[in-house]
Amino acid sequence: MGLLSGMMGHASEVSIEKLAKEFQPILMDTEQIERAYKLIRDMLVFTNKRLILVNKQGLTGSKTDYQSIPYSSIKMFSKESAGIGDLDAELKIWLTGESEPTIKQDFRKGDNINEAYRVLSRHVLK
């Protein structure tokens, strides 16, 4: 079962400028956010160095877990859609040593899963 597979809903893109202040304390000096997608309170954040999974916990979301996944730990990824006119698409990411996708995230049409796929391709397929 994927880390995010139990969550209902779809990811939508988040403005990088809105995230700059929140992520400044945890990013390396040369690290930059390239894309970010939000699902309710949780996020997938693609930087030029790693993928960060953000899990807001509790009723108020005041407790936050930031999980860093180096791109070198990603062994495979895929995007799936039903075809032309499909309203939804799914991004799946497998980590080294796992036989099932560790991360599964739904995207709505128009949220450009293709850009997330290109970011993964650029960093994983070096």
Side-chain angles (χ1 to χ4, degrees):
M1 174 129 327
L3 184 65
L4 298 176
S5 63
M7 305 174 87
M8 301 301 291
H10 304 293
S12 57
E13 193 161 4
V14 179
S15 166
I16 293 170
E17 292 78 27
K18 290 183 179 181
L19 298 178
K21 185 176 181 179
E22 177 183 353
F23 282 85
Q24 187 273 330
I26 65 168
L27 295 179
M28 296 171 39
D29 291 340
T30 60
E31 190 172 16
Q32 298 173 353
I33 297 172
E34 294 184 355
R35 294 277 183 204
Y37 299 91
K38 188 171 189 171
L39 175 65
I40 306 171
R41 296 184 304 180
D42 299 335
M43 286 188 287
L44 292 173
V45 179
F46 296 91
T47 77
N48 61 326
K49 305 280 186 190
R50 60 188 159 164
L51 171 60
I52 302 171
L53 303 178
V54 181
N55 180 9
K56 301 268 184 175
Q57 302 170 358
L59 292 175
T60 62
S62 58
K63 184 176 179 183
T64 305
D65 177 46
Y66 296 90
Q67 183 178 5
S68 293
I69 300 172
Y71 290 118
S72 61
S73 296
I74 297 173
K75 74 171 182 179
M76 185 168 69
F77 53 96
S78 71
K79 70 178 188 109
E80 180 180 328
S81 65
I84 298 173
D86 185 31
L87 296 179
D88 298 322
E90 183 178 42
L91 179 67
K92 296 177 187 176
I93 302 172
W94 286 258
L95 299 181
T96 302
E98 300 294 327
S99 60
E100 296 292 321
T102 306
I103 301 163
K104 294 181 183 179
Q105 184 60 64
D106 291 329
F107 285 74
R108 286 187 297 242
K109 183 177 182 177
D111 284 331
N112 205 347
I113 189 173
N114 293 327
E115 188 55 40
Y117 195 82
R118 278 192 290 271
V119 171
L120 279 171
S121 296
R122 184 169 51 251
H123 294 295
V124 175
L125 304 176
K126 289 182 180 181

